[in-house]
């Protein structure tokens, strides 16, 4: 068993506690260039590979990310599972900045993104089969992530619905009210089509969604932005610890 775990997120997440970087690899795909090089490393007995979703230096807007190339690149190096990290806005007034949600459902509001590998290219000649996406996140990984978050004593929510919008603009007030009526709990811009592409390649996928603020339509109004860097710095440290613990726990489960 290869037991290689992929982490997709911001470039700072490659600096995990105990991570020993072993190599950097450029991967070519039939769908173009991924967001950046793949960084391979080791944390204890856990082998990991990291990909910066928005590019190293955060230069790629969410709607311009080559999600197909990213997922295909990870699949081509034989990853067995994917942990994704995403910054989100809360639609729940009781969920404060710094809280981590481990979502279990998705509402997709994106448009125009390449959201399937089945596009009649040479690399996808197999018969098209309807994809079961009823439960978009892998339950085993979700449980491991929840345990790691709780061990780290971070404020956490164990389930909720992630509304994925097109970006790069934020929603209007009316759009946010519709999103709340639809049953969403947080809003972000990156889980789709990332999650469904992983499902097409049979890669178990789950996410840590870091709440960075409350949406403007949620009462009471969000705190002043001046407080955000403090929350973000602490949240980054916490997420690094959670990821380091989770990837090692996944190795124990799958060996």
């Amino acid at each position: 068993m290869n037991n290689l775990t992929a982490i997709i997120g911001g470039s700072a997440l490659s600096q995990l506690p105990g991570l020993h970087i072993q190599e950097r690899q450029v991967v070519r795909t039939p769908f173009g260039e991924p967001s950046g090089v793949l960084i391979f490393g080791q944390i204890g007995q856990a082998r990991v590979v990291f990909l910066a979703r928005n590019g190293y230096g955060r230069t790629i807007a969410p709607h311009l990310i080559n999600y197909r190339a990213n997922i295909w690149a990870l699949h081509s190096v034989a990853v067995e599972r994917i942990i994704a990290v995403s910054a989100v806005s809360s639609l729940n007034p009781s969920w404060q900045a710094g809280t981590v949600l481990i979502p279990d459902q998705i509402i997709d509001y994106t448009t125009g993104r390449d959201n399937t590998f089945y596009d009649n290219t040479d690399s996808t000649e197999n018969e098209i089969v309807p994809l079961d996406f009823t439960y978009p996140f892998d339950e085993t990984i979700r449980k491991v992530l929840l345990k790691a978050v709780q061990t780290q004593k971070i404020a956490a929510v164990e389930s909720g619905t992630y509304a994925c919008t097109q970006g790069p603009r934020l929603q209007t007030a009316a759009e946010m009210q519709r999103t709340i009526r639809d049953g969403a709990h947080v809003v972000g811009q990156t889980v789709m089509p990332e999650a469904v592409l992983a499902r097409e390649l049979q890669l178990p996928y789950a996410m840590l969604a870091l709440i960075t603020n409350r949406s403007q339509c949620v009462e009471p109004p969000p705190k002043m932005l001046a407080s955000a860097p403090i929350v973000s710095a602490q949240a980054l440290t916490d997420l690094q610890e959670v990821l380091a613990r989770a990837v090692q726990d996944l190795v124990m489960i799958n060996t």
Side-chain angles (χ1 to χ4, degrees), residues 122-142:
D122 292 341
S123 58
T124 56
E125 292 179 342
N126 295 331
E127 179 184 358
I128 297 175
V129 177
L131 184 73
D132 185 353
F133 202 52
T134 307
Y135 300 101
F137 298 104
D138 181 80
E139 194 60 28
T140 297
I141 303 177
R142 288 187 67 255

Side-chain angles (χ1 to χ4, degrees), residues 1-239:
M1 180 178 289
N2 189 36
N3 228 338
L4 179 61
T5 301
I7 298 172
I8 304 177
S11 56
L13 293 177
S14 63
Q15 303 168 17
L16 301 182
L19 173 65
H20 300 283
I21 295 177
Q22 298 169 328
E23 67 170 315
R24 291 172 170 82
Q25 183 177 335
V26 176
V27 178
R28 310 296 182 190
T29 85
F31 304 97
E33 300 293 324
S35 295
V37 299
L38 303 186
I39 299 177
F40 292 82
Q42 191 99 11
I43 304 176
Q45 298 300 311
R47 298 179 62 237
V48 297
V49 57
F50 177 81
L51 176 62
R53 181 192 288 114
N54 296 89
Y56 295 92
R58 195 169 176 81
T59 57
I60 309 173
H63 68 296
L64 297 178
I65 293 169
N66 192 337
Y67 293 95
R68 292 197 299 180
N70 285 353
I71 299 300
W72 191 272
L74 295 174
H75 179 259
S76 72
V77 298
V79 303
E80 295 195 357
R81 64 195 68 87
I82 297 173
I83 299 175
V85 179
S86 177
V88 297
S89 296
S90 173
L91 297 172
N92 186 321
S94 65
W95 296 357
Q96 303 294 323
T99 300
V100 173
L101 169 68
I102 304 172
D104 63 339
Q105 280 297 328
I106 297 169
I107 301 175
D108 184 10
Y109 297 110
T110 64
T111 60
R113 300 185 184 188
D114 292 327
N115 59 9
T116 181
F117 291 112
Y118 295 107
D119 64 353
N120 297 321
T121 64
D122 292 341
S123 58
T124 56
E125 292 179 342
N126 295 331
E127 179 184 358
I128 297 175
V129 177
L131 184 73
D132 185 353
F133 202 52
T134 307
Y135 300 101
F137 298 104
D138 181 80
E139 194 60 28
T140 297
I141 303 177
R142 288 187 67 255
K143 289 179 179 178
V144 169
L145 291 175
L146 178 61
K147 178 183 176 183
V149 170
Q150 292 173 336
T151 301
Q152 194 62 25
K153 302 187 186 308
I154 303 171
V157 182
E158 63 181 279
S159 64
T161 299
Y162 182 128
C164 190
T165 60
Q166 177 69 0
R169 72 167 178 84
L170 303 179
Q171 289 181 298
T172 67
E175 288 170 334
M176 285 187 283
Q177 292 294 344
R178 179 198 63 175
T179 303
I180 293 171
R181 291 194 300 271
D182 286 349
H185 301 98
V186 296
V187 178
Q189 298 179 355
T190 56
V191 74
M192 290 297 288
E194 195 172 85
V196 71
L197 292 170
R199 178 64 57 87
E200 284 191 349
L201 296 182
Q202 299 181 9
L203 292 173
Y205 175 101
M207 173 171 279
L208 289 170
L210 172 65
I211 294 173
T212 58
N213 66 291
R214 291 196 295 264
S215 291
Q216 295 289 341
C217 67
V218 176
E219 295 295 339
K223 295 180 180 179
M224 296 297 292
L225 291 178
S227 66
I230 298 175
V231 174
S232 298
Q234 182 60 53
L236 175 59
T237 300
D238 290 339
L239 282 178

